[in-house]
Amino acid sequence: MTEIIGTTFANDTEEFAEIVNSFENGLFEVRIDAMDDYNTADLAEIDKRLIITVRCEKEGGLKKIPEDERLKIFKDLLTVEPSFIDIEFRSRILDEVLDLINDTPTKSIVSYHDFEKTPDLDRLDHLYEKMDEKDPDLIKIVTFCNTPRDNSKISEFVLDKSNLISFCMGREGMISRIFSLKYCPMTYGSISGSHTAPGQFSVKELKQIKEMLVDE
């Protein structure tokens, strides 16, 4: 069963918690890098509904945060014990963050984002294998769709990988997001009218598509 993750940008954790509490259930990605400030107390009561990330700038983060500072932020946020922490595969602090996660009930998502292209299938498989060596709970590989063929690559890539979240960004890649509803453990949709990634559906749209095409 694919979990549809709600995404949005908020100015701070208080605003984000208010948004999450307006929904009866579901998991939500909180982007600390998009916020002016954060307070762990705001997140404590919604801890099990959170996927927390402090996205680095080179993989779509909205501001430049030094890696040592990001590590301190991750350590602080783990005191909330969210459902998941998302950390980039190419980050210098990857191993340190995974070690911190391993001492908590929180699960790990190791992620990779390519904002320019979708690599060939051999490259994707090799990347997946290298990421899987880190033994995360989930692997997230998101690429950019330039041609319809890129959707086909991702659709083939996700088969028989139960811990893999993968789809394409961009309007051309919206088909791959539909495919992820059937073959990935999670996929992502916007919840506040503003998309956090190009080509993104809203949670409402994804639920409608899932009901019409996937759950039949």
Side-chain angles (χ1 to χ4, degrees):
M1 180 68 70
T2 301
E3 182 90 19
I4 298 174
I5 310 304
T7 67
T8 189
F9 292 136
N11 292 319
D12 53 41
T13 45
E14 181 179 7
E15 179 185 350
F16 184 83
E18 290 175 359
I19 294 171
V20 171
N21 283 324
S22 69
F23 294 84
E24 291 185 7
N25 49 52
L27 277 172
F28 298 84
E29 181 186 57
V30 52
R31 286 280 301 274
I32 300 299
D33 59 280
M35 296 180 174
D36 298 327
D37 196 12
Y38 77 92
N39 186 334
T40 56
D42 295 328
L43 304 176
E45 293 186 2
I46 56 171
D47 53 343
K48 302 311 177 192
R49 303 181 68 186
L50 298 178
I51 297 174
I52 295 180
T53 189
V54 189
R55 186 68 70 219
C56 66
E57 188 179 35
K58 68 181 179 182
E59 295 210 27
L62 297 189
K63 57 186 174 185
K64 187 176 181 62
I65 306 173
E67 290 290 79
D68 290 342
E69 183 178 344
R70 283 211 309 147
L71 181 60
K72 291 177 182 177
I73 294 171
F74 275 121
K75 188 173 184 177
D76 190 25
L77 291 167
L78 274 165
T79 64
V80 176
E81 295 188 352
S83 286
F84 291 89
I85 288 282
D86 178 328
I87 175 70
E88 305 87 6
F89 177 62
R90 293 180 287 187
S91 171
R92 177 174 63 80
I93 61 172
L94 170 64
D95 290 337
E96 292 167 279
V97 172
L98 290 178
D99 285 343
L100 290 172
I101 293 171
N102 287 338
D103 291 330
T104 74
T106 296
K107 294 182 179 180
S108 58
I109 299 174
V110 172
S111 60
Y112 175 96
H113 303 80
D114 188 328
F115 291 91
E116 297 180 353
K117 65 185 182 306
T118 297
D120 62 40
L121 198 54
D122 287 343
R123 166 62 180 154
L124 288 169
D125 283 332
H126 177 72
L127 175 62
Y128 170 82
E129 290 170 3
K130 299 300 289 184
M131 294 173 74
D132 199 40
E133 289 176 2
K134 297 295 181 180
D135 197 30
D137 292 286
L138 294 174
I139 293 169
K140 180 184 177 188
I141 297 175
V142 180
T143 63
F144 193 85
C145 183
N146 291 297
T147 71
R149 169 61 183 154
D150 289 337
N151 287 296
S152 299
K153 290 180 197 175
I154 293 298
S155 298
E156 184 176 351
F157 174 52
V158 298
L159 295 177
D160 302 318
K161 297 181 181 71
S162 61
N163 66 340
L164 175 63
I165 306 162
S166 189
F167 49 81
C168 293
M169 295 177 283
R171 291 193 61 82
E172 292 283 349
M174 295 175 79
I175 295 171
S176 71
R177 290 180 181 269
I178 295 173
F179 201 79
S180 71
L181 282 169
K182 185 172 180 65
Y183 292 101
C184 296
M186 292 179 179
T187 195
Y188 293 71
S190 62
I191 58 174
S192 59
S194 59
H195 302 313
T196 60
Q200 191 175 59
F201 289 101
S202 69
V203 166
K204 182 178 180 180
E205 289 170 331
L206 287 172
K207 287 181 177 179
Q208 291 172 338
I209 294 167
K210 188 171 185 287
E211 184 177 342
M212 288 187 298
L213 301 179
V214 178
D215 291 341
E216 289 184 349

